[in-house]
Amino acid sequence: MLKDFSERHISRRDLLRLLGVAGAAATVGPLVAACSSPAKSGAAPAAAAAAPTAAAAAPTTAAAAPTAATGATTAASAIQRGGELVQAQAWTYPSMNLHATSIPQNAGYQMLYDPLIRYELVDEKAGKFALKPGLAESWEQPDPKTVVLHLRNGVKFHDGSDFNADVAKWNLTDLRDNPKSFGKTYLKDVAAIDAPDAATVKITLKAPSTSLPFRLSGANYGVMGMISKAAYEKLGADGFGKAPVGTGAMKFKQWITDDRLILEKNPDYWRNGADGKPLPYLDSFVSRYVPDLTVAMADLQAGQLMAAEQMPANQLKVVEANPQLRLINWPWAGSTYFQMGFNVNKPPFDNVKVRQAALYGIDH
């Protein structure tokens, strides 16, 4: 499988970038990756290294192979291209339409789709992130209620259709207005979306706000990637959900529901790697749905996987004792399993006793 990360001059920051784990709300737990065993069942050779995207947030534990992403300090001479990454995750894909999925943090989405603005990890130790250009090369806020995006020219979707201001406007409108959109909450204060020319999108807010660029990055949930308008109109909502088309570093090949997602290299991707050549470094990516963590652990040790997420606590010493495995932790993040909020301005939750009763009624 993959050689030791230190031998390849690969950092955990690069692992985050590979799978798009780039959100302020990222909840990342232990990651286990194989280091040197021979690959099995089509797993990647030692030459596999990739950095498909650093797009939206991924509030799930990530699993990844070594990579050197754009902007990383990895020497170009250390980069090896080709191979396949096989990872396991405990969350399945309900739909391949990013706008209509309840789990947009899954790695495959981050590889298929790009957001207008990226939320990139810039300090791994401190868990510090920053907004970076994505499909929008730059943006400005001329007044508190207006955000103007200047789009990247020449970007095409996997189906060959153009990405432009009209398509971006259509995407943002769908995210805001579609009843099935999981992004509508983040755009509910958008009053108008205009495309004055092919490379410009103007967004007008209902009230002054400085948080829109952050929300457009998908940092808080990861749903803000751009989908192909042409493909969606051709296939319809259901059809697109089974055959997705984005602008990402990898394009769709096959999806077996509740089993695995298979992606392949997008040869026309717009971003370059540290070696000056177009990303991704990988030829293909396989995301297996393995809800049983003990099964994932067994497959990892057997060489069927290259990486797995959220290892059981009782397996940590096993991992640490195995020279062919490596455990990676991100101390600045954690897992969120349950959240509940109350509108304290409306009955019955304006009564503190009711809120306390709800709290006491939850076994946590």
Side-chain angles (χ1 to χ4, degrees), residues 229-246:
K229 176 184 177 183
Y232 188 92
E233 291 179 341
K234 177 182 178 180
L235 301 172
D238 292 340
F240 187 90
K242 299 174 183 177
V245 179

Side-chain angles (χ1 to χ4, degrees), residues 15-28:
L15 296 176
L16 290 171
R17 291 186 173 196
L18 169 64
L19 294 182
V21 181
T27 55
V28 183

Side-chain angles (χ1 to χ4, degrees), residues 278-292:
L279 292 171
Y281 301 119
L282 286 173
D283 288 332
S284 57
F285 169 73
V286 178
S287 178
R288 286 180 48 197
Y289 173 48
V290 186
D292 189 330

Side-chain angles (χ1 to χ4, degrees), residues 243-304:
V245 179
T247 63
M250 289 200 167
K251 59 183 182 179
F252 178 77
K253 183 176 182 180
Q254 184 182 22
W255 175 39
I256 303 174
T257 307
D258 293 337
D259 182 74
R260 69 190 61 203
L261 171 67
I262 303 175
L263 306 180
E264 59 186 357
K265 180 178 181 177
N266 172 14
D268 302 312
Y269 192 47
W270 56 270
R271 290 182 64 200
N272 289 333
D275 57 359
K277 299 177 182 179
L279 292 171
Y281 301 119
L282 286 173
D283 288 332
S284 57
F285 169 73
V286 178
S287 178
R288 286 180 48 197
Y289 173 48
V290 186
D292 189 330
L293 299 181
T294 58
V295 172
M297 187 66 188
D299 285 352
L300 188 70
Q301 295 184 88
Q304 301 297 325

Side-chain angles (χ1 to χ4, degrees), residues 3-364:
K3 290 186 177 298
D4 184 78
F5 296 123
S6 61
E7 296 176 358
R8 296 283 302 285
H9 305 287
I10 300 301
S11 71
R12 281 180 289 168
R13 170 178 177 174
D14 299 323
L15 296 176
L16 290 171
R17 291 186 173 196
L18 169 64
L19 294 182
V21 181
T27 55
V28 183
L31 176 153
V32 180
C35 297
S36 59
S37 297
K40 293 185 179 181
S41 299
T53 180
T60 64
T61 300
T67 174
T70 300
T73 56
T74 304
S77 60
I79 295 173
Q80 299 181 49
R81 288 177 173 266
E84 179 177 76
L85 169 65
V86 183
Q87 61 113 218
Q89 61 183 41
W91 294 270
T92 189
Y93 291 82
S95 168
M96 293 314 304
N97 179 358
L98 179 61
H99 295 182
T101 180
S102 57
I103 311 291
Q105 311 94 329
N106 281 1
Y109 296 123
Q110 314 306 322
M111 297 183 182
L112 282 167
Y113 304 103
D114 290 317
L116 294 166
I117 300 172
R118 293 163 41 231
Y119 196 58
E120 182 178 329
L121 180 68
V122 294
D123 186 335
E124 178 200 345
K125 292 184 179 180
K128 183 179 179 180
F129 298 81
L131 296 177
K132 299 288 185 177
L135 292 178
E137 286 188 310
S138 63
W139 58 94
E140 57 188 309
Q141 193 156 6
D143 62 70
K145 294 176 63 176
T146 305
V147 173
V148 179
L149 304 167
H150 302 285
L151 306 184
R152 193 176 300 276
N153 291 316
V155 176
K156 290 186 178 294
F157 287 94
H158 302 150
D159 60 358
S161 61
D162 293 326
F163 171 75
N164 52 39
D166 177 69
V167 173
K169 175 183 176 180
W170 177 86
N171 269 268
L172 293 171
T173 302
D174 182 67
L175 282 163
R176 183 193 63 180
D177 299 343
N178 192 327
K180 294 184 178 181
S181 166
F182 278 83
K184 56 183 178 291
T185 299
Y186 308 110
L187 298 179
K188 63 181 181 180
D189 62 342
V190 171
I193 306 166
D194 299 300
D197 59 60
T200 306
V201 173
K202 178 183 177 182
I203 301 175
T204 304
L205 301 171
K206 298 176 183 177
S209 174
T210 59
S211 68
L212 184 61
F214 175 82
R215 285 179 276 139
L216 290 175
S217 74
N220 49 357
Y221 201 50
V223 73
M224 293 297 171
M226 299 288 102
I227 70 177
S228 169
K229 176 184 177 183
Y232 188 92
E233 291 179 341
K234 177 182 178 180
L235 301 172
D238 292 340
F240 187 90
K242 299 174 183 177
V245 179
T247 63
M250 289 200 167
K251 59 183 182 179
F252 178 77
K253 183 176 182 180
Q254 184 182 22
W255 175 39
I256 303 174
T257 307
D258 293 337
D259 182 74
R260 69 190 61 203
L261 171 67
I262 303 175
L263 306 180
E264 59 186 357
K265 180 178 181 177
N266 172 14
D268 302 312
Y269 192 47
W270 56 270
R271 290 182 64 200
N272 289 333
D275 57 359
K277 299 177 182 179
L279 292 171
Y281 301 119
L282 286 173
D283 288 332
S284 57
F285 169 73
V286 178
S287 178
R288 286 180 48 197
Y289 173 48
V290 186
D292 189 330
L293 299 181
T294 58
V295 172
M297 187 66 188
D299 285 352
L300 188 70
Q301 295 184 88
Q304 301 297 325
L305 295 172
M306 300 172 74
E309 17 174 293
Q310 294 279 27
M311 287 297 97
N314 61 5
Q315 293 291 312
L316 299 186
K317 290 186 177 180
V318 175
V319 172
E320 293 171 346
N322 190 332
Q324 296 182 340
L325 299 177
R326 181 176 178 182
L327 177 68
I328 301 173
N329 281 298
W330 292 285
W332 40 264
S335 295
T336 300
Y337 295 99
F338 178 78
Q339 291 181 326
M340 181 171 64
F342 305 109
N343 186 341
V344 298
N345 295 316
K346 293 184 178 181
F349 299 115
D350 57 345
N351 186 329
V352 66
K353 297 296 184 181
V354 173
R355 300 198 298 273
Q356 290 175 340
L359 176 64
Y360 296 145
I362 299 173
D363 181 7
H364 60 87

